[in-house]
Amino acid sequence: DLERTLGSCAESLLWARRAPFKHVLHHPKRLRSRPEHEGHAPAFGVPTIEPSTPKVRDVVFSLLRGGSFLADYKDFLKSRRCLRDAITGAPGREATAFDEVAFHEGNIPEHIQRELEREVPGLRFADARLYGAFGGTGSARDRWRPWERLRQPGEYPVGYRHMCRFMSMIWIRALWKYEHTMRVDDDVCPKKFGSGDPFAQLRREGAVYGYGVLTEEKHRETVHTMQPWLEVYATSRGLKPGAPINAQEMYFTNFFISKTAWWLSEAVQHFLGAVERTGHIYDHRWGDAPIQSATLNFFAAPEEVVLVTVDYTHLSTQNEIKNGTEVAFVQEKKRLNALSTVEAQLSEVMGSTFEFTFTNLLAPCLVGNYFQIKGAPFDEEPAATRAMKHEMADRLSLPWKDVDKYAPWELAQAIQFDLNHAEGPLPRDTVVGLDRMAAFVRLALRRERREPEKKEYSKEEMVGLLVNACCQTPKVKEVMKKWEETRAKQAIQFVAGVGGAGGAGGAGGAG
C-alpha cells in the first residue's frame, strides 16, 4: 500500500509539473470549459457535421485506414451490410433513419469515396485532421510532439496512438449535433441485436451509454500507469465513482452507442482534457477503451450504462462477442492448393507470410545499405542489425542493454524515421493496405506488382523476396535447396512423361 501511494504521488507530481500544463490539478470549477447543456453550442472552433435531414437524429461512425483501391475497403463494405441487416432484423425495429460518417486521414481518393457512397446509404466522409486529430490543425501536435522522440522496443506505432486519441475525445467535436452516436469499426460485423434497435433501446431506458461487452485491459503498462493517475484525479476532486476504480476493467469500444450530449458536460470535458495533457496516450499507449470506461465510471450513474445485447465479430483482434460475452473465435479456413512437402517447409520457416520475411530479414539490410552504416553493404540480416544497434548506441549514447532490446524491424524504422528523419527506403506506417503491399514488393523485387488489387502475395512474389541475399538464412538456404531439387525432379519427370506419351503416339500411328 505504501509503495502504491508513493507511486501515485510521484506520478501526479510529474504530471502536474509537465510544462505548460501545471494547472491541471486545480479544481474544475476554477477552469472555464465548454457548456454543459445540450442547447448550447460547444466552442470547438471546427466545422460541425450536420445531420442530413431534420428528421435524422442518430449517426454511425468509423475511422478508415485509407487506401488507393476499392479492394482496401472490402471489410468496411461487409461491416455496413452486416449492420443494416442486423438493425433491420432486430426485434421491435422502429422506422428510424441514421446517417453514416467515415473519418479518414486525407488518404481516401475522391473516386473511391464516390464509389463507397454509392454502396453505403447515407454515407459521408470527414477528414479527421480538421478536428485536430492525426496532427491536424489545433491538435496536440501544435503544442507537443511526443512522436518525434525515439520509438521504444515493442511499442505500438504512433498511428495507433493517434487513433486512440481520436476515439477517446476527438470524434465528439465533429458529431455533437447528433442525439445518439454509434461506433462500429470497419472490421466489425454485427450479426444480431437481441434488445432491438440499439438507438431505440437507449431512448427507452434513458441511458447515456450502451456497450457490447465488459472485458479485461490486458496492456499492463496502461494498467500500471493509469490506475494511480485515476486514483489521484478522483481524490483531488472529491469524485465518487460509480464502482471502485479499476483500470484493468473496460468496455470494448470497437462497438458502442452513446448519447452524444453527455460527452459535452463540463466535468467530462475537463477529465478528457486532463487525460490529454498527461501525454500518456503517447507515452504509455493509453487506449480509448480504458479512457472511455474510466470517464463513464466517474461521471455516469450505474443505471445510465446498459448492455446492448449484440452478437458481432471483430476481425482485427479476433474477438467474437455473443450476448455480452467473449466466445471462441473461429476463423474461416481458406482452401489451399496441395503443396509439396518442401514448399510447406519453406512456408513454415518464413513464418508463412511475405511481410514477416520482409520486415525481419530484408528491411535491416535495406536501411543499413541506404544510410551507408559502417560495414555496408550488407548481405546478411544479423550483420545489418548488429551494425544498426552500434549506430544507435553511438549516436544517442545509449547503453547496449537498451539497444539490444530492439527487434530488426523496430531498429530499421528507428534508424530511418527517428535518427535520420528520412522518407526512404521503407514506407511510413500511414501507407496501408494494398499500397503497403505494393511498396514492399517494389523494394524486394524492384518492380511493380502484376496484380495490384490482389490482397494476398503471390508465390512468385514470395520467391522473388527469398532470392534476396539477406533473406537467405542457413535454414532457408537448406529448405530452398530442397525446393529447387524438388522442382528439378518434377521438371525431369514432366519431360519424361511428355516424351513417353509422344513416343507411344508415334508407334501407334506407324502401326
Side-chain angles (χ1 to χ4, degrees):
D1 290 342
L2 177 60
E3 184 178 353
R4 164 172 271 183
T5 302
L6 290 173
S8 300
C9 293
E11 180 75 19
S12 61
L13 286 172
L14 288 172
W15 162 53
R17 294 179 63 185
R18 183 191 295 275
F21 309 125
K22 59 186 178 182
H23 61 280
V24 295
L25 282 177
H26 290 181
H27 194 277
K29 289 186 178 179
R30 298 177 189 170
L31 300 175
R32 293 174 59 84
S33 78
R34 301 181 178 91
E36 184 172 9
H37 305 294
E38 294 182 47
H40 296 178
F44 289 127
V46 291
T48 302
I49 298 176
E50 300 279 350
S52 57
T53 71
K55 292 184 178 181
V56 173
R57 298 184 292 170
D58 307 319
V59 65
V60 175
F61 80 98
S62 62
L63 176 65
L64 303 185
R65 298 185 68 197
S68 301
F69 299 92
L70 189 61
D72 286 315
Y73 306 91
K74 181 180 177 181
D75 286 344
F76 172 68
L77 291 174
K78 179 180 178 180
S79 167
R80 268 41 202 173
R81 286 192 292 270
C82 288
L83 175 64
R84 296 276 171 176
D85 291 345
I87 289 184
T88 304
R93 169 66 180 142
E94 297 179 3
T96 56
F98 56 88
D99 287 341
E100 293 239 26
V101 173
F103 291 98
H104 59 91
E105 304 172 49
N107 54 356
I108 303 181
E110 285 289 331
H111 72 280
I112 295 292
Q113 293 186 29
R114 302 292 83 81
E115 290 190 55
L116 292 174
E117 287 170 350
R118 285 192 288 271
E119 293 283 341
V120 181
L123 177 64
R124 287 181 290 173
F125 289 88
D127 191 333
R129 297 172 301 174
L130 295 176
Y131 305 93
F134 298 92
T137 302
S139 74
R141 189 188 184 102
D142 298 329
R143 305 187 298 272
W144 183 47
R145 304 168 79 90
W147 40 88
E148 292 190 353
R149 59 176 172 74
L150 178 69
R151 68 195 65 206
Q152 298 301 305
E155 191 172 77
Y156 278 70
V158 69
Y160 181 86
R161 296 157 195 258
H162 283 330
M163 180 279 294
C164 291
R165 177 173 174 266
F166 176 82
M167 288 299 188
S168 299
M169 57 193 72
I170 305 301
W171 63 270
I172 308 159
R173 302 177 185 179
L175 302 175
W176 65 269
K177 286 200 172 182
Y178 287 94
E179 184 177 332
H180 289 98
T181 305
M182 180 159 64
R183 172 182 169 183
V184 181
D185 282 358
D186 60 338
D187 60 349
V188 164
C189 179
K191 299 173 182 176
K192 183 179 70 173
F193 289 103
S195 303
D197 176 1
F199 293 115
Q201 179 186 352
L202 248 65
R203 290 190 176 94
R204 185 171 61 248
E205 299 185 21
V208 299
Y209 190 87
Y211 64 93
V213 65
L214 183 66
T215 188
E216 177 188 2
E217 170 57 271
K218 297 177 181 177
H219 185 243
R220 298 196 62 79
E221 186 177 347
T222 294
V223 176
H224 290 162
T225 56
M226 182 179 276
Q227 181 73 27
W229 187 88
L230 292 174
E231 292 171 359
V232 170
Y233 189 94
T235 302
S236 67
R237 286 155 176 77
L239 296 178
K240 296 181 179 179
I245 298 173
N246 183 5
Q248 202 163 356
E249 192 173 66
M250 66 180 188
Y251 303 113
F252 256 170
T253 50
N254 44 50
F255 165 86
F256 72 81
I257 180 171
S258 187
K259 187 174 183 180
T260 318
W262 184 84
W263 297 93
L264 301 175
S265 70
E266 184 179 34
V268 168
Q269 284 295 304
H270 278 312
F271 176 73
L272 294 177
V275 168
E276 179 166 23
R277 289 190 291 270
T278 66
H280 290 345
I281 293 176
Y282 293 95
D283 278 343
H284 299 302
R285 206 231 73 179
W286 285 8
D288 53 283
I291 292 172
Q292 200 169 88
S293 302
T295 310
L296 290 159
N297 188 32
F298 277 173
F299 305 110
E303 64 273 13
E304 292 180 315
V305 179
V306 299
L307 172 67
V308 174
T309 51
V310 54
D311 297 348
Y312 70 89
T313 301
H314 188 221
L315 294 175
S316 63
T317 58
Q318 297 193 339
N319 296 113
E320 190 81 32
I321 309 303
K322 191 176 182 66
N323 197 25
T325 305
E326 287 186 72
V327 297
F329 178 83
V330 180
Q331 190 168 18
E332 182 180 350
K333 294 184 178 180
K334 295 182 179 179
R335 188 180 299 275
L336 300 175
N337 296 325
L339 296 174
S340 70
T341 303
V342 177
E343 286 177 312
Q345 290 177 4
L346 179 63
S347 180
E348 182 180 355
V349 169
M350 299 315 299
S352 72
T353 68
F354 183 102
E355 293 196 9
F356 177 90
T357 309
F358 181 96
T359 57
N360 286 276
L361 297 178
L362 184 59
C365 292
L366 289 174
V367 171
N369 292 336
Y370 185 89
F371 293 105
Q372 289 297 295
I373 291 174
K374 186 177 180 180
F378 301 101
D379 58 7
E380 291 183 346
E381 173 273 318
T385 297
R386 188 165 52 251
M388 286 194 294
K389 287 181 179 180
H390 282 290
E391 176 81 359
M392 181 183 288
D394 293 344
R395 286 180 60 176
L396 300 178
S397 300
L398 294 175
W400 185 259
K401 65 179 180 63
D402 292 340
V403 173
D404 201 35
K405 295 176 182 177
Y406 283 84
W409 173 243
E410 295 171 335
L411 197 62
Q413 289 185 304
I415 292 289
Q416 175 179 322
F417 298 117
D418 303 340
L419 269 67
N420 292 292
H421 306 287
E423 292 301 317
L426 304 177
R428 288 193 172 272
D429 290 329
T430 51
V431 179
V432 298
L434 291 169
D435 292 331
R436 190 172 186 81
M437 294 177 70
F440 282 0
V441 170
R442 197 178 300 120
L443 286 167
L445 279 67
R446 297 184 177 85
R447 66 164 175 79
E448 299 297 327
R449 299 189 74 199
R450 303 193 194 283
E451 299 179 80
E453 296 193 44
K454 187 177 180 181
K455 298 199 76 171
E456 295 83 24
Y457 292 101
S458 68
K459 188 183 297 183
E460 177 192 10
E461 289 168 343
M462 187 68 183
V463 172
L465 172 67
L466 293 179
V467 299
N468 284 277
C470 277
C471 298
Q472 298 283 308
T473 65
K475 187 67 178 288
V476 171
K477 286 180 181 179
E478 178 186 342
V479 178
M480 280 288 287
K481 183 180 178 181
K482 291 181 181 178
W483 182 68
E484 289 171 355
E485 291 172 353
T486 301
R487 287 195 64 184
K489 290 179 181 178
Q490 289 175 343
I492 293 172
Q493 292 171 357
F494 175 77
V495 171
V498 171

